[in-house]
Amino acid sequence: MKMNATQVSYFTLSAYFDTGPFKYLYFMILTFLYILIICPNVSLIVIICMNRSLHEPMYLFLCSLFVNELYGSTGLFPFLLLQILSDIHTVSVHFCFLQIFCVYSYACVEFLNLAVMSYDRYLAICYPLQYNTHMTYNKVTALIALTWLYPFIVILIAVSLTSSLQLCGNIIDTIFCGNYSIFKLACSDTTVNNVYGLIITFLTVCIPLILILYTYMKILKVCFSGSKQTRQKAVSTCTPHLASLINFSLGCCLQILLNRSDVNTAPSVLNIFCHYTFLHASLCLIQ
């Protein structure tokens, strides 16, 4: 039951529960997963930056993807590790909105990065002779800048709209801060937030997915009409990207389902593990 509108200074994460001594085991598992994400990504970024022969569009887009993995993971995993060891599962309002910004902008950058990578593969396979003409250094720089600046701006606006809502409580039923969880606490009208959210979802998720599907339809057409060597090249360069897209999309869908279901009785570590197994499986597949 909702209370009257009140000034909220912190949120309580109700999805956590007392796991006793097992919390140290869960802490070690998540720490290992975090290290498994950080070390390979840092190594690959350094290799790409130091090796001039890898300063090609495909590797630069991959480097952007690896940086985003570091950004998204660092915006969430340290918080989860702290909450697992803590006896009181609270988070300040300001840090909660900062976390929402990090997680959502990470997801948007990931989708746009994958869309740009599919466009790059489309040019490389369908127009190999004109590839260097179309994919110039300036164009690569502009595409990478767009994949980062656009999500930062639109998510900043979304977070600003959410932070302006009047809230009737401070208990959220998740293991970390999410926009939808804050929505459910709102006493004021959320029409503007809902409309803006639908528009951003269409522009950030639907359009990139349409672009990816279109480019891969064209790639498949070239593969079926081309030589065996062309098909082998397409499979070797596109399979990791497609696997990354599928796994990341599954992770996003799973998180949406978890956000809209009752997770109060579900094991918090299972919640964490399921989501990030899907979300970061793309990392292993790309590497």
Side-chain angles (χ1 to χ4, degrees):
M1 183 176 67
K2 289 186 176 181
M3 306 177 292
N4 293 328
T6 182
Q7 185 68 33
V8 175
S9 61
Y10 67 91
F11 293 107
T12 300
L13 305 171
S14 64
Y16 288 95
F17 63 97
D18 184 19
T19 56
F22 287 104
K23 67 181 180 181
Y24 300 107
L25 174 63
Y26 300 148
F27 179 85
M28 291 176 62
I29 293 173
L30 278 184
T31 301
F32 175 74
L33 182 57
Y34 185 40
I35 294 173
L36 197 63
I37 294 167
I38 294 295
C39 292
N41 276 285
V42 171
S43 300
L44 288 167
I45 291 169
V46 171
I47 290 171
I48 292 173
C49 291
M50 298 296 291
N51 194 336
R52 286 189 173 274
S53 65
L54 297 179
H55 291 182
E56 299 292 334
M58 182 180 73
Y59 294 105
L60 294 177
F61 293 139
L62 280 174
C63 188
S64 175
L65 198 68
F66 298 147
V67 171
N68 190 45
E69 288 290 340
L70 293 177
Y71 167 66
S73 302
T74 303
L76 189 54
F77 269 85
F79 173 81
L80 295 177
L81 293 170
L82 181 64
Q83 289 297 323
I84 286 176
L85 293 180
S86 178
D87 294 325
I88 302 174
H89 305 292
T90 59
V91 56
S92 68
V93 169
H94 297 298
F95 187 86
C96 189
F97 285 120
L98 176 62
Q99 187 176 70
I100 291 172
F101 174 81
C102 290
V103 173
Y104 281 64
S105 59
Y106 156 72
C108 290
V109 171
E110 194 84 355
F111 264 117
L112 291 177
N113 233 320
L114 291 171
V116 169
M117 288 171 64
S118 70
Y119 173 66
D120 175 67
R121 292 300 83 205
Y122 163 72
L123 290 179
I125 295 172
C126 298
Y127 301 97
L129 299 179
Q130 295 84 25
Y131 177 76
N132 291 330
T133 304
H134 290 301
M135 194 58 71
T136 62
Y137 178 79
N138 289 336
K139 190 171 185 178
V140 171
T141 303
L143 287 172
I144 292 176
L146 179 64
T147 60
W148 284 88
L149 291 177
Y150 169 76
F152 277 24
I153 293 172
V154 298
I155 298 303
L156 181 61
I157 295 173
V159 171
S160 300
L161 289 173
T162 303
S163 64
S164 65
L165 294 174
Q166 288 185 329
L167 304 180
C168 295
N170 68 337
I171 299 177
I172 55 180
D173 56 354
T174 57
I175 56 176
F176 61 91
C177 295
N179 209 43
Y180 183 75
S181 302
I182 308 299
F183 262 35
K184 293 193 291 187
L185 299 176
C187 301
S188 55
D189 183 35
T190 59
T191 302
V192 175
N193 302 65
N194 290 328
V195 171
Y196 181 78
L198 289 173
I199 293 173
I200 295 307
T201 300
F202 177 76
L203 294 176
T204 309
V205 178
C206 296
I207 290 182
L209 284 177
I210 292 171
L211 174 63
I212 292 170
L213 290 174
Y214 173 79
T215 55
Y216 274 95
M217 285 175 61
K218 291 293 186 180
I219 290 172
L220 287 174
K221 183 178 178 180
V222 171
C223 290
F224 285 121
S225 61
S227 63
K228 182 179 180 181
Q229 185 180 2
T230 302
R231 289 194 294 271
Q232 289 176 342
K233 179 183 176 182
V235 170
S236 63
T237 58
C238 297
T239 299
H241 177 262
L242 278 176
S244 302
L245 174 66
I246 292 170
N247 278 273
F248 182 74
S249 300
L250 285 174
C252 291
C253 292
L254 179 62
Q255 185 57 42
I256 292 172
L257 291 174
L258 289 173
N259 281 340
R260 282 155 177 75
S261 61
D262 184 11
V263 296
N264 287 323
T265 58
S268 59
V269 174
L270 179 62
N271 189 331
I272 299 170
F273 181 76
C274 287
H275 176 54
Y276 285 97
T277 297
F278 281 113
L279 196 59
H280 294 287
S282 58
L283 171 66
C284 300
L285 288 164
I286 289 175
Q287 296 169 1

